[in-house]
Amino acid sequence: MRAFYHPDQAIHNPLQFMRYGRICEANDVPARTEELLKALARLGIEPEQPQDYGRGPAEKIHAVHYLDYLETAYGRWIDLPEHGPEVLPNTFPYWNGDPSRDMRPPCPTDQLLAQTGYYLGDLAVPIGEHTWQSVLRSSHTATAGADALLDGETLAYALCRPSGHHCRVDRASGFCYMNNSAIAAQRLLEKFGKVAVLDIDAHHGDGTQEIFYRRRDVLTVSVHVDPDHYNPFFTGRVHETGYGDGEGYNLNIPLAPHSGNDTFLDGVQRGIDAVKAYGAEALVLALGYDTHVEDPLSMVKVTTEAFSAAGRKLGDLNIPVLVVQEGGYQVSVIGACLEGFLRELQSGA
Protein backbone atom coordinates (compact mmCIF):
# COMPACT_ATOMS: atom_id res chain seq x y z
CA MET A 1 0.00 0.00 0.00
CA ARG A 2 1.26 3.45 -0.91
CA ALA A 3 0.64 6.31 1.52
CA PHE A 4 1.02 10.07 1.16
CA TYR A 5 1.62 12.94 3.57
CA HIS A 6 3.30 16.35 3.48
CA PRO A 7 4.87 17.71 6.71
CA ASP A 8 3.42 21.15 5.99
CA GLN A 9 0.03 19.69 6.92
CA ALA A 10 1.09 19.79 10.58
CA ILE A 11 1.85 23.52 10.69
CA HIS A 12 -1.85 24.50 10.80
CA ASN A 13 -2.21 24.93 14.57
CA PRO A 14 -5.66 26.32 15.43
CA LEU A 15 -5.94 27.97 18.84
CA GLN A 16 -9.68 27.96 19.45
CA PHE A 17 -13.16 26.91 18.42
CA MET A 18 -16.66 27.44 19.77
CA ARG A 19 -18.49 24.60 21.52
CA TYR A 20 -21.66 24.96 23.60
CA GLY A 21 -21.13 28.71 23.86
CA ARG A 22 -17.54 28.48 25.08
CA ILE A 23 -14.31 29.24 23.28
CA CYS A 24 -12.40 25.97 23.72
CA GLU A 25 -8.98 24.67 22.87
CA ALA A 26 -8.92 23.16 19.39
CA ASN A 27 -9.39 19.42 18.84
CA ASP A 28 -7.63 19.28 15.48
CA VAL A 29 -4.11 19.46 16.89
CA PRO A 30 -0.89 18.71 14.96
CA ALA A 31 -0.20 15.75 17.27
CA ARG A 32 -2.90 13.83 15.40
CA THR A 33 -0.58 13.43 12.43
CA GLU A 34 2.26 12.21 14.64
CA GLU A 35 0.17 9.31 15.93
CA LEU A 36 -1.05 8.35 12.47
CA LEU A 37 2.51 8.41 11.12
CA LYS A 38 3.58 6.12 13.96
CA ALA A 39 0.80 3.70 12.98
CA LEU A 40 2.03 3.67 9.39
CA ALA A 41 5.57 2.96 10.63
CA ARG A 42 4.34 -0.02 12.64
CA LEU A 43 2.83 -1.36 9.42
CA GLY A 44 6.09 -0.82 7.54
CA ILE A 45 4.54 1.88 5.33
CA GLU A 46 6.71 4.89 4.53
CA PRO A 47 4.53 7.79 3.35
CA GLU A 48 5.58 9.60 0.19
CA GLN A 49 5.59 13.39 -0.03
CA PRO A 50 3.13 14.51 -2.70
CA GLN A 51 4.24 16.80 -5.47
CA ASP A 52 3.08 20.41 -5.59
CA TYR A 53 -0.11 20.37 -7.69
CA GLY A 54 -0.89 24.02 -7.00
CA ARG A 55 -4.58 24.93 -6.88
CA GLY A 56 -5.57 23.02 -10.01
CA PRO A 57 -7.16 19.91 -8.43
CA ALA A 58 -8.98 21.98 -5.81
CA GLU A 59 -10.40 24.26 -8.50
CA LYS A 60 -12.13 21.22 -10.02
CA ILE A 61 -14.31 21.22 -6.89
CA HIS A 62 -14.11 24.62 -5.21
CA ALA A 63 -15.08 28.10 -6.42
CA VAL A 64 -12.09 30.23 -7.42
CA HIS A 65 -13.41 33.18 -5.37
CA TYR A 66 -13.57 30.95 -2.28
CA LEU A 67 -9.99 29.71 -2.73
CA ASP A 68 -8.84 33.30 -3.27
CA TYR A 69 -10.36 34.17 0.09
CA LEU A 70 -8.69 31.24 1.89
CA GLU A 71 -5.32 32.07 0.42
CA THR A 72 -5.37 35.78 1.33
CA ALA A 73 -7.52 36.00 4.48
CA TYR A 74 -4.82 35.81 7.16
CA GLY A 75 -2.53 38.35 5.51
CA ARG A 76 -5.42 40.79 5.26
CA TRP A 77 -6.62 40.01 8.80
CA ILE A 78 -3.38 41.03 10.50
CA ASP A 79 -3.56 44.36 8.70
CA LEU A 80 -6.78 45.24 10.54
CA PRO A 81 -6.27 47.83 13.28
CA GLU A 82 -7.83 45.51 15.87
CA HIS A 83 -7.74 41.77 15.30
CA GLY A 84 -7.68 38.53 17.20
CA PRO A 85 -5.06 35.82 16.76
CA GLU A 86 -6.99 34.03 13.99
CA VAL A 87 -9.54 34.83 11.32
CA LEU A 88 -13.03 34.02 12.64
CA PRO A 89 -16.45 35.29 11.54
CA ASN A 90 -18.87 37.36 13.55
CA THR A 91 -21.68 37.35 10.99
CA PHE A 92 -23.23 34.61 8.86
CA PRO A 93 -25.36 35.16 5.73
CA TYR A 94 -28.57 33.26 5.18
CA TRP A 95 -28.40 30.26 2.81
CA ASN A 96 -31.71 28.84 1.62
CA GLY A 97 -30.56 25.24 1.19
CA ASP A 98 -31.73 25.02 -2.43
CA PRO A 99 -30.55 21.58 -3.65
CA SER A 100 -30.74 22.67 -7.28
CA ARG A 101 -27.95 25.19 -6.85
CA ASP A 102 -24.25 24.34 -7.09
CA MET A 103 -23.04 27.33 -5.11
CA ARG A 104 -23.70 30.92 -4.21
CA PRO A 105 -22.37 33.83 -6.25
CA PRO A 106 -19.21 35.49 -4.92
CA CYS A 107 -19.55 37.58 -1.79
CA PRO A 108 -21.09 40.87 -2.95
CA THR A 109 -18.41 42.93 -1.15
CA ASP A 110 -14.66 42.51 -0.76
CA GLN A 111 -14.80 43.78 2.83
CA LEU A 112 -12.87 41.21 4.88
CA LEU A 113 -15.32 40.77 7.76
CA ALA A 114 -18.18 40.29 5.31
CA GLN A 115 -16.19 37.72 3.34
CA THR A 116 -15.26 35.92 6.54
CA GLY A 117 -18.91 35.50 7.49
CA TYR A 118 -19.70 34.43 3.92
CA TYR A 119 -16.98 31.82 3.46
CA LEU A 120 -16.52 30.44 7.01
CA GLY A 121 -19.60 28.53 8.07
CA ASP A 122 -18.95 28.25 11.80
CA LEU A 123 -16.50 28.99 14.60
CA ALA A 124 -14.56 25.74 14.10
CA VAL A 125 -12.52 26.91 11.09
CA PRO A 126 -10.12 29.59 12.30
CA ILE A 127 -7.56 30.71 9.75
CA GLY A 128 -4.08 31.23 11.15
CA GLU A 129 -0.71 32.10 9.69
CA HIS A 130 -0.07 28.62 8.28
CA THR A 131 -3.62 27.43 7.56
CA TRP A 132 -3.54 28.00 3.80
CA GLN A 133 -0.27 26.10 3.36
CA SER A 134 -1.53 23.12 5.37
CA VAL A 135 -4.90 23.08 3.60
CA LEU A 136 -3.29 23.25 0.17
CA ARG A 137 -0.84 20.44 1.02
CA SER A 138 -3.69 18.32 2.36
CA SER A 139 -5.41 18.65 -1.01
CA HIS A 140 -2.15 17.60 -2.68
CA THR A 141 -1.99 14.52 -0.47
CA ALA A 142 -5.49 13.49 -1.56
CA THR A 143 -4.61 14.16 -5.19
CA ALA A 144 -1.44 12.05 -4.97
CA GLY A 145 -3.45 9.20 -3.48
CA ALA A 146 -5.93 9.40 -6.34
CA ASP A 147 -3.07 9.45 -8.84
CA ALA A 148 -1.69 6.25 -7.30
CA LEU A 149 -4.98 4.52 -8.16
CA LEU A 150 -4.91 6.05 -11.63
CA ASP A 151 -1.45 4.53 -12.04
CA GLY A 152 -2.73 1.05 -11.20
CA GLU A 153 -2.42 0.72 -7.41
CA THR A 154 -5.30 -1.08 -5.75
CA LEU A 155 -4.90 0.51 -2.30
CA ALA A 156 -3.62 3.88 -1.15
CA TYR A 157 -3.88 6.03 1.98
CA ALA A 158 -3.93 9.84 2.03
CA LEU A 159 -3.10 11.18 5.49
CA CYS A 160 -5.05 14.40 5.04
CA ARG A 161 -5.01 17.02 7.74
CA PRO A 162 -6.88 19.34 7.92
CA SER A 163 -9.88 17.17 7.11
CA GLY A 164 -12.34 17.97 4.36
CA HIS A 165 -15.78 16.37 4.32
CA HIS A 166 -17.70 19.32 5.83
CA CYS A 167 -16.34 21.76 3.25
CA ARG A 168 -18.79 22.84 0.53
CA VAL A 169 -17.89 24.22 -2.87
CA ASP A 170 -17.55 27.71 -1.37
CA ARG A 171 -17.66 27.39 2.43
CA ALA A 172 -15.45 26.00 5.18
CA SER A 173 -16.89 24.48 8.35
CA GLY A 174 -16.24 21.81 10.97
CA PHE A 175 -12.41 21.91 10.88
CA CYS A 176 -12.58 21.50 7.07
CA TYR A 177 -11.31 24.02 4.49
CA MET A 178 -11.06 22.00 1.25
CA ASN A 179 -12.96 18.82 0.55
CA ASN A 180 -10.13 16.31 0.09
CA SER A 181 -12.42 13.33 -0.51
CA ALA A 182 -14.32 15.19 -3.22
CA ILE A 183 -11.10 16.39 -4.85
CA ALA A 184 -9.86 12.79 -4.93
CA ALA A 185 -13.16 11.45 -6.30
CA GLN A 186 -13.17 14.04 -9.06
CA ARG A 187 -9.59 13.10 -9.96
CA LEU A 188 -10.50 9.41 -10.17
CA LEU A 189 -13.13 10.18 -12.80
CA GLU A 190 -10.27 10.77 -15.24
CA LYS A 191 -10.03 6.96 -15.51
CA PHE A 192 -13.01 5.37 -13.77
CA GLY A 193 -16.53 5.85 -15.10
CA LYS A 194 -18.23 5.37 -11.73
CA VAL A 195 -16.70 6.46 -8.43
CA ALA A 196 -18.18 6.13 -4.94
CA VAL A 197 -17.42 7.98 -1.72
CA LEU A 198 -18.19 6.01 1.43
CA ASP A 199 -17.83 8.21 4.53
CA ILE A 200 -17.64 6.48 7.92
CA ASP A 201 -16.70 9.49 10.03
CA ALA A 202 -19.07 10.10 12.98
CA HIS A 203 -20.33 13.31 11.39
CA HIS A 204 -22.39 13.47 8.23
CA GLY A 205 -20.27 14.31 5.19
CA ASP A 206 -22.49 17.27 4.38
CA GLY A 207 -19.99 19.04 2.13
CA THR A 208 -19.35 15.92 0.06
CA GLN A 209 -23.08 15.29 -0.25
CA GLU A 210 -23.80 18.79 -1.52
CA ILE A 211 -20.90 18.80 -3.99
CA PHE A 212 -22.16 15.67 -5.76
CA TYR A 213 -25.89 15.93 -4.97
CA ARG A 214 -26.88 16.70 -8.57
CA ARG A 215 -24.61 14.11 -10.18
CA ARG A 216 -24.79 10.39 -10.93
CA ASP A 217 -21.11 9.76 -11.76
CA VAL A 218 -20.22 9.84 -8.04
CA LEU A 219 -22.29 7.89 -5.51
CA THR A 220 -22.11 9.40 -2.01
CA VAL A 221 -22.81 7.28 1.06
CA SER A 222 -22.42 8.51 4.64
CA VAL A 223 -22.62 6.43 7.83
CA HIS A 224 -22.91 8.88 10.72
CA VAL A 225 -24.59 9.69 14.01
CA ASP A 226 -28.23 10.74 13.59
CA PRO A 227 -28.25 14.50 12.84
CA ASP A 228 -31.38 14.93 14.96
CA HIS A 229 -28.90 14.72 17.84
CA TYR A 230 -25.48 15.55 16.38
CA ASN A 231 -23.60 18.06 14.30
CA PRO A 232 -24.02 19.09 11.45
CA PHE A 233 -27.75 18.79 12.37
CA PHE A 234 -29.22 20.20 9.14
CA THR A 235 -28.34 17.42 6.68
CA GLY A 236 -27.78 13.68 6.74
CA ARG A 237 -31.29 12.27 6.83
CA VAL A 238 -32.57 9.27 4.91
CA HIS A 239 -34.91 11.29 2.67
CA GLU A 240 -31.92 13.13 1.13
CA THR A 241 -31.35 10.95 -1.93
CA GLY A 242 -30.09 13.41 -4.57
CA TYR A 243 -31.57 15.95 -6.94
CA GLY A 244 -32.12 16.02 -10.71
CA ASP A 245 -29.57 13.77 -12.42
CA GLY A 246 -28.32 12.83 -8.97
CA GLU A 247 -31.64 11.49 -7.68
CA GLY A 248 -30.98 8.08 -6.11
CA TYR A 249 -27.21 8.55 -5.91
CA ASN A 250 -26.94 9.77 -2.32
CA LEU A 251 -27.50 7.50 0.67
CA ASN A 252 -27.47 8.48 4.34
CA ILE A 253 -27.25 5.83 7.07
CA PRO A 254 -27.84 7.49 10.46
CA LEU A 255 -26.77 5.73 13.66
CA ALA A 256 -28.71 6.18 16.88
CA PRO A 257 -26.85 7.87 19.74
CA HIS A 258 -25.11 5.41 22.08
CA SER A 259 -24.90 2.76 19.35
CA GLY A 260 -22.12 0.22 19.61
CA ASN A 261 -19.95 -1.82 17.28
CA ASP A 262 -22.71 -3.98 15.80
CA THR A 263 -24.82 -1.02 14.68
CA PHE A 264 -21.79 0.78 13.28
CA LEU A 265 -20.62 -2.27 11.34
CA ASP A 266 -24.12 -2.93 10.04
CA GLY A 267 -24.08 0.61 8.69
CA VAL A 268 -20.70 0.06 7.06
CA GLN A 269 -21.99 -3.12 5.44
CA ARG A 270 -25.05 -1.30 4.10
CA GLY A 271 -22.72 1.27 2.62
CA ILE A 272 -20.59 -1.44 1.00
CA ASP A 273 -23.71 -3.08 -0.42
CA ALA A 274 -24.74 0.26 -1.95
CA VAL A 275 -21.29 0.73 -3.51
CA LYS A 276 -21.52 -2.74 -5.05
CA ALA A 277 -25.06 -2.20 -6.32
CA TYR A 278 -23.95 1.06 -7.94
CA GLY A 279 -21.22 -0.77 -9.80
CA ALA A 280 -18.46 1.55 -8.58
CA GLU A 281 -15.13 1.08 -10.31
CA ALA A 282 -13.16 2.88 -7.58
CA LEU A 283 -13.90 3.96 -4.00
CA VAL A 284 -12.86 6.89 -1.85
CA LEU A 285 -13.22 5.77 1.77
CA ALA A 286 -13.51 8.82 4.02
CA LEU A 287 -12.19 7.50 7.34
CA GLY A 288 -12.76 9.17 10.70
CA TYR A 289 -12.32 7.82 14.22
CA ASP A 290 -14.65 10.20 16.05
CA THR A 291 -17.17 7.38 16.48
CA HIS A 292 -14.69 5.95 19.00
CA VAL A 293 -16.11 5.74 22.51
CA GLU A 294 -13.14 7.75 23.87
CA ASP A 295 -13.33 10.57 21.32
CA PRO A 296 -14.15 13.96 22.91
CA LEU A 297 -16.85 14.57 20.27
CA SER A 298 -18.34 11.05 20.29
CA MET A 299 -21.98 10.20 20.95
CA VAL A 300 -21.60 6.49 20.14
CA LYS A 301 -19.68 3.60 21.70
CA VAL A 302 -17.56 2.20 18.89
CA THR A 303 -14.29 0.54 19.96
CA THR A 304 -10.89 0.19 18.31
CA GLU A 305 -11.72 -3.37 17.26
CA ALA A 306 -14.62 -2.15 15.12
CA PHE A 307 -12.22 -0.30 12.82
CA SER A 308 -10.32 -3.52 12.19
CA ALA A 309 -13.61 -5.24 11.37
CA ALA A 310 -14.58 -2.38 9.03
CA GLY A 311 -11.27 -2.71 7.21
CA ARG A 312 -11.87 -6.44 6.81
CA LYS A 313 -15.29 -5.82 5.25
CA LEU A 314 -13.94 -3.22 2.84
CA GLY A 315 -11.12 -5.54 1.79
CA ASP A 316 -13.70 -7.73 0.03
CA LEU A 317 -14.79 -5.03 -2.44
CA ASN A 318 -12.29 -6.00 -5.15
CA ILE A 319 -12.03 -2.49 -6.57
CA PRO A 320 -9.31 0.14 -6.08
CA VAL A 321 -9.70 1.94 -2.74
CA LEU A 322 -8.25 5.27 -1.65
CA VAL A 323 -8.54 5.89 2.09
CA VAL A 324 -8.75 9.63 2.85
CA GLN A 325 -8.23 10.69 6.45
CA GLU A 326 -11.07 12.68 8.01
CA GLY A 327 -11.71 13.25 11.74
CA GLY A 328 -10.83 11.56 15.02
CA TYR A 329 -9.54 13.63 17.92
CA GLN A 330 -8.59 11.31 20.78
CA VAL A 331 -4.88 11.19 20.05
CA SER A 332 -4.30 8.20 22.31
CA VAL A 333 -6.50 5.87 20.20
CA ILE A 334 -6.38 7.06 16.59
CA GLY A 335 -3.09 5.34 15.78
CA ALA A 336 -4.41 1.96 16.86
CA CYS A 337 -7.63 2.55 14.91
CA LEU A 338 -5.72 3.30 11.71
CA GLU A 339 -3.29 0.43 12.21
CA GLY A 340 -6.05 -2.13 12.66
CA PHE A 341 -8.09 -0.75 9.80
CA LEU A 342 -5.26 -0.75 7.25
CA ARG A 343 -3.90 -4.13 8.33
CA GLU A 344 -7.27 -5.79 7.79
CA LEU A 345 -7.94 -3.82 4.60
CA GLN A 346 -4.66 -5.02 3.11
CA SER A 347 -5.17 -8.62 4.18
CA GLY A 348 -8.57 -8.77 2.49
CA ALA A 349 -7.66 -6.91 -0.69
Side-chain angles (χ1 to χ4, degrees), residues 326-341:
E326 296 288 354
Y329 305 101
Q330 184 57 48
V331 173
S332 62
V333 302
I334 59 176
C337 292
L338 176 63
E339 183 179 358
F341 180 87

Side-chain angles (χ1 to χ4, degrees), residues 27-349:
N27 289 112
D28 184 17
V29 295
R32 292 178 61 232
T33 61
E34 297 173 14
E35 293 304 311
L36 299 174
L37 290 169
K38 290 176 185 176
L40 293 178
R42 290 193 295 270
L43 292 168
I45 300 172
E46 180 67 31
E48 304 168 40
Q49 184 169 303
Q51 69 181 69
D52 186 345
Y53 293 91
R55 284 176 34 166
E59 289 180 358
K60 299 286 188 181
I61 291 295
H62 294 291
V64 169
H65 56 84
Y66 168 67
L67 297 177
D68 289 344
Y69 167 77
L70 281 185
E71 186 171 4
T72 63
Y74 183 76
R76 296 161 60 200
W77 184 259
I78 61 175
D79 285 339
L80 294 177
E82 295 183 31
H83 61 81
E86 298 170 304
V87 182
L88 278 174
N90 60 2
T91 180
F92 299 92
Y94 175 71
W95 175 70
N96 69 5
D98 182 353
S100 67
R101 186 171 58 180
D102 286 332
M103 68 178 109
R104 306 164 297 176
C107 183
T109 171
D110 61 3
Q111 207 280 336
L112 178 59
L113 292 178
Q115 288 183 329
T116 296
Y118 197 77
Y119 293 122
L120 303 186
D122 57 30
L123 294 175
V125 279
I127 297 176
E129 180 179 4
H130 303 298
T131 299
W132 168 255
Q133 185 70 5
S134 289
V135 169
L136 185 65
R137 293 300 190 189
S138 192
S139 77
H140 295 168
T141 290
T143 302
D147 281 356
L149 266 59
L150 295 176
D151 291 340
E153 298 289 336
T154 57
L155 292 176
Y157 171 62
L159 201 177
C160 292
R161 189 260 174 191
S163 304
H165 71 155
H166 293 306
C167 186
R168 315 293 179 103
V169 169
D170 60 352
R171 194 189 73 165
S173 66
F175 310 153
C176 301
Y177 303 82
M178 288 189 200
N179 196 308
N180 304 305
S181 292
I183 290 168
Q186 183 66 42
R187 188 84 167 185
L188 290 173
L189 288 170
E190 294 179 9
K191 176 179 179 179
F192 302 102
K194 287 186 173 182
V195 173
V197 180
L198 173 56
D199 189 326
I200 62 172
D201 186 280
H203 301 87
H204 175 234
D206 52 341
T208 312
Q209 171 176 300
E210 183 178 324
I211 287 167
F212 295 116
Y213 204 63
R214 293 155 297 281
R215 293 170 51 174
R216 63 175 59 201
D217 54 349
V218 177
L219 172 75
T220 46
V221 182
S222 182
V223 180
H224 52 267
V225 179
D226 189 337
D228 282 353
H229 307 277
Y230 197 60
N231 194 62
F233 299 116
F234 305 108
T235 63
R237 292 170 176 82
V238 296
H239 70 268
E240 298 161 16
T241 57
Y243 180 86
D245 286 347
E247 177 62 49
Y249 296 94
N250 185 81
L251 173 65
N252 288 315
I253 304 173
L255 309 176
H258 315 300
S259 296
N261 288 357
D262 289 346
T263 301
F264 170 69
L265 291 171
D266 284 348
V268 172
Q269 186 60 59
R270 285 182 60 197
I272 291 170
D273 292 343
V275 171
K276 289 179 177 178
Y278 174 63
E281 299 168 21
L283 173 69
V284 175
L285 190 283
L287 176 63
Y289 318 111
D290 36 10
T291 48
H292 197 284
V293 63
E294 295 181 32
D295 193 277
L297 303 182
S298 182
M299 282 190 68
V300 288
K301 300 178 179 179
V302 174
T303 68
T304 304
E305 291 71 25
F307 290 95
S308 298
R312 194 175 311 124
K313 288 177 177 289
L314 285 153
D316 293 334
L317 267 175
N318 297 316
I319 59 174
V321 176
L322 169 61
V323 180
V324 173
Q325 187 60 59
E326 296 288 354
Y329 305 101
Q330 184 57 48
V331 173
S332 62
V333 302
I334 59 176
C337 292
L338 176 63
E339 183 179 358
F341 180 87
L342 292 183
R343 178 178 286 114
E344 294 299 326
L345 179 65
Q346 290 183 94
S347 67

